[in-house]
Amino acid sequence: LIFIVILGAITAVEPCSRGVVAAISVIALGAFLSSYGEAEFNMYGFVLVMISELCAAVRWIATQMVLHGGKLDSMQAVFYMSPASAMSLVPLVLSMERNKVDAFDTVEAAGQYWMMVLFPGFLAFVLLLVEVQLVKETSSLTLSVFGNLKSIVTVLIAVIVFGERASPVQWLGLCVALSGMFGYSHVKKRKMAVDSLAQLGYEALTDSDSELDAEAASSARDFHIQAAVLGRQAGYGGEAFDPNLAQAVAA
């Protein structure tokens, strides 16, 4: 999450606001609390995890730039990424798993292996396809945020189905992470509403509106929004939108 926010701000592909930063900080805190006390700290493992997270952030930021800037669909993007991903893993497999390749000495053993990995591999392909489509429709940051939701569901299944135990601190972390996700969703919905009004040709409120008290300003904004929506429904959207005509429609 943090790497995607930083790289997205550097590359200007992911707008960064105080609301987004606050929501991401809450989610990161919840993820930390949910994993607190799970294992002993190891610097080598920590460095490997940080490198993998950085590489994943670079991949999704690059994917977002390609999908939003080109004409590729999600299926084509997966087909382009998969060969490179497989080729990058081959040297690691040969160097770290060469002592286990003898498991494929017989045709029967190889057949059992392929039958065992066929269905999980298909599920992984579908998951990757859905993730790429989500990046195309939204952003890499949204994918990363709701990827934590997948982790929470995994923890809940482990507790309910397999009888795993979670400490009160870990439950607190899950609740904090969920609250951060709800906060992020609220921020994105508000941004989408503002963008929709901008597409209608709605102009921002003038400085004189700030002199009104809070209740009057809220009522004025609600009226403008309702008038804009009614005007769009009546066929007066886009640049030809007329607030006075929308007010007449609302009446």
Side-chain angles (χ1 to χ4, degrees):
L1 277 175
I2 298 176
F3 284 132
I4 288 182
V5 172
I6 295 175
L7 293 177
I10 293 175
T11 57
V13 300
E14 188 67 45
C16 187
S17 63
R18 288 179 296 179
V20 171
V21 172
I24 296 303
S25 300
V26 173
I27 296 173
L29 175 62
F32 171 76
L33 292 176
S34 62
S35 60
Y36 179 77
E38 186 65 25
E40 295 183 1
F41 180 81
N42 182 278
M43 180 57 69
Y44 178 70
F46 176 77
V47 171
L48 290 179
V49 170
M50 289 296 102
I51 293 176
S52 66
E53 290 293 332
L54 178 60
C55 293
V58 172
R59 181 187 68 163
W60 286 122
I61 290 293
T63 301
Q64 179 178 344
M65 296 175 65
V66 171
L67 291 176
H68 289 188
K71 298 181 179 180
L72 292 177
D73 56 25
S74 56
M75 183 66 74
Q76 290 175 328
V78 170
F79 283 158
Y80 281 123
M81 289 191 300
S82 297
S85 300
M87 292 176 63
S88 63
L89 290 175
V90 168
L92 295 176
V93 172
L94 293 179
S95 62
M96 302 177 64
E97 304 289 339
R98 62 180 181 274
N99 296 328
K100 299 181 181 180
V101 179
D102 55 357
F104 305 104
D105 289 344
T106 64
V107 177
E108 181 180 359
Q112 291 178 353
Y113 172 79
W114 285 111
M115 291 299 296
M116 182 177 62
V117 301
L118 182 61
F119 184 66
F122 173 75
L123 293 180
F125 170 76
V126 173
L127 175 62
L128 179 60
L129 188 62
V130 172
E131 288 177 340
V132 173
Q133 183 64 31
L134 181 60
V135 172
K136 181 177 178 63
E137 297 294 335
T138 57
S139 67
S140 56
L141 182 59
T142 300
L143 170 67
S144 182
V145 167
F146 291 101
N148 285 271
L149 179 61
K150 179 184 66 176
S151 301
I152 292 176
V153 173
T154 302
V155 172
L156 293 178
I157 292 177
V159 172
I160 296 173
V161 178
F162 300 104
E164 296 288 342
R165 295 183 179 180
S167 65
V169 175
Q170 291 174 325
W171 284 114
L172 175 63
L174 294 178
C175 294
V176 171
L178 279 175
S179 65
M181 293 176 196
F182 285 125
Y184 176 82
S185 178
H186 175 72
V187 171
K188 297 298 288 186
K189 285 182 179 180
R190 187 170 61 180
K191 181 179 181 301
M192 291 175 62
V194 173
D195 292 342
S196 299
L197 290 177
Q199 292 178 358
L200 290 174
Y202 172 72
E203 295 182 357
L205 297 176
T206 60
D207 294 337
S208 61
D209 292 327
S210 61
E211 300 176 357
L212 300 174
D213 56 25
E215 183 177 358
S218 178
S219 300
R221 292 189 184 93
D222 291 340
F223 170 77
H224 283 305
I225 292 174
Q226 292 175 2
V229 173
L230 290 172
R232 182 61 178 269
Q233 292 176 350
Y236 301 103
E239 298 179 355
F241 172 70
D242 187 355
N244 296 325
L245 188 56
Q247 182 177 357
V249 173

